[in-house]
Amino acid sequence: MQSLRADEALAYPGSLLDTKGRIVAPYDLEQRDAEIGEHVALASQAGILNAAAQPFEVDYSQIAVAHVINGMGVTLGDSIIGLTALAAIRQIYPHVRFVVYRPELAPAYVEQLYALAEGHVASTRSLPWPLADIPREEVRVDLGNQLFWPRFMSLPMIDFFLDALGVPPSSVPSANKANRWLQTLELPSLPEAWRNRPYVLFCPTASTPIRSIATPVRSALVSRLFEQFGFPVIGFGPVDHPQYVDVTAASPGTADFLTWVRHARYVLTADTAAAHIAAGFDVPTTAFFTTVAPELRVRDYPLCRPVTLELPGLSNVQASDREQDMARLNAAYQEAMNSELPFAPLRPASE
């Protein structure tokens, strides 16, 4: 196969192989902002399974070790769902051991999730990694750069990952798609002041401004939460409201973030990572969606009440902070505030 051009390499739906025979993540090349160099598609190599290049199925009943190359993205939400796919497979085939090869320069808070999952769902290795060091006789699945896969924004994310791993999504029960492997993790305790104090959690900030809750309505949403439930509202980042407490300083890492969500009586969020975590711990949630359809993210979460804001022309936009887009976002949230918000029943105090 011919070498990929620099622009082709960065947007290739899969992982890359450099001239030294090492597997490379396109994300790492982009982050280094240096000369890309020569690379070929990893999927061009014999024995590499890449569903974007050629659909396949794997009989995991016959597999001892499966290598997942360049999975499961570089955001916390994508990683939770990708690991859920592995956990769902292991629920059926507990003998399977997964090894996940991660981008070298992925954010530290995302890598903290994989460290927590070590020994529970999968073990991890850091790219670049010599292709020759992954046994040819073992299953080798390329899941790299999934943002550029045609089906990434057309399938529910959990179904996308299962399909990319060679598993028919319909073969996995919905109950196994709700991230409950998170309950197996060893997490820190809450700060003492909050251990026996009920609270609801407000997570307004997503990975990009166009998917975050508009700043002008955040205080009003805190009021809605307090009026609805009567408990203090905690969150991450400043909100000017007398019933709100910013606990950012008490959440230095991903494990702490998981703990705050785990013990919440309710979650209101635009951050899909928070919605995924809440589902894993059976915490009722109201989640706002702007540029992505809620059925692609929270279909399997019975305790989640999605709110879809209409932003014509911005469907499936991955990121934006353009002034005109933010003005439309603010207007959509102002309109939403004129309606009742859908709240699920409060989580019982005994849980």
Side-chain angles (χ1 to χ4, degrees):
M1 182 177 179
Q2 289 184 337
S3 296
L4 298 168
R5 299 192 312 269
D7 59 328
E8 292 175 326
L10 294 180
Y12 177 72
S15 304
L16 307 172
L17 197 68
D18 68 13
T19 56
K20 298 179 181 178
R22 301 181 305 169
I23 302 169
V24 177
Y27 176 84
D28 289 337
L29 298 179
E30 184 177 32
Q31 293 302 300
R32 288 194 173 91
D33 194 26
E35 186 70 28
I36 299 299
E38 291 189 13
H39 295 84
V40 298
L42 177 64
S44 68
Q45 307 301 299
I48 298 296
L49 302 174
N50 179 310
Q54 180 66 46
F56 64 90
E57 288 191 19
V58 173
D59 181 2
Y60 283 96
S61 69
Q62 304 300 312
I63 302 301
V65 181
H67 301 267
V68 181
I69 300 167
N70 202 2
M72 306 282 184
V74 294
T75 68
L76 186 59
D78 291 6
S79 292
I80 291 169
I81 301 303
L83 288 168
T84 292
L86 300 185
I89 295 170
R90 294 190 75 242
Q91 282 186 280
I92 304 171
Y93 308 110
H95 64 277
V96 178
R97 182 170 68 88
F98 284 105
V99 182
V100 180
Y101 298 77
R102 296 284 303 144
E104 180 183 13
L105 302 179
Y109 70 91
V110 177
E111 295 314 288
Q112 290 169 20
L113 177 72
Y114 289 89
L116 290 168
E118 188 86 24
H120 296 273
V121 179
S123 58
T124 58
R125 296 170 179 171
S126 180
L127 295 173
W129 193 271
L131 175 59
D133 288 355
I134 304 178
R136 295 175 64 92
E137 66 274 12
E138 295 178 348
V139 170
R140 300 175 295 173
V141 178
D142 178 17
L143 238 170
N145 230 17
Q146 82 264 11
L147 191 64
F148 297 95
W149 290 38
R151 305 185 76 186
F152 184 65
M153 290 302 295
S154 64
L155 287 176
M157 187 181 288
I158 181 61
D159 290 356
F160 168 83
F161 278 117
L162 288 167
D163 181 73
L165 290 162
V167 175
S170 60
S171 69
V172 177
S174 179
N176 293 353
K177 298 178 178 181
N179 317 321
R180 290 189 174 90
W181 64 271
L182 293 170
Q183 298 180 17
T184 69
L185 303 183
E186 297 179 11
L187 299 176
S189 299
L190 287 173
E192 187 173 355
W194 291 98
R195 286 177 194 171
N196 297 302
R197 187 180 179 189
Y199 62 86
V200 295
L201 185 62
F202 182 50
C203 298
T205 305
S207 58
T208 175
I210 197 62
R211 293 185 178 176
S212 299
I213 292 176
T215 302
V217 305
R218 293 184 182 185
S219 180
L221 283 171
V222 170
S223 290
R224 291 275 184 100
L225 282 169
F226 185 71
E227 292 165 4
Q228 180 74 22
F229 299 119
F231 296 135
V233 180
I234 69 166
F236 310 99
V239 177
D240 185 14
H241 194 283
Q243 301 299 334
Y244 177 81
V245 180
D246 183 358
V247 295
T248 302
S251 185
T254 298
D256 304 282
F257 180 50
L258 294 175
T259 295
W260 284 110
V261 179
R262 176 184 185 179
H263 293 287
R265 298 286 296 278
Y266 203 92
V267 172
L268 177 64
T269 185
D271 175 14
T272 51
H276 298 324
I277 298 165
F281 291 111
D282 297 312
V283 180
T285 302
T286 296
F288 287 99
F289 290 86
T290 55
T291 66
V292 62
E295 58 268 23
L296 299 182
R297 297 294 182 267
V298 298
R299 180 199 61 190
D300 299 292
Y301 306 165
L303 298 181
C304 183
R305 301 291 185 267
V307 178
T308 304
L309 303 185
E310 298 299 329
L311 292 174
L314 293 176
S315 178
N316 292 342
V317 169
Q318 296 293 338
S320 177
D321 60 359
R322 297 191 308 169
E323 183 177 350
Q324 61 267 41
D325 292 344
M326 299 312 296
R328 294 167 67 185
L329 180 76
N330 291 345
Y333 269 104
Q334 292 290 353
E335 183 176 348
M337 294 302 293
N338 294 326
S339 304
E340 291 293 323
L341 295 179
F343 288 107
L346 188 70
R347 183 184 191 180
S350 60
E351 294 187 11

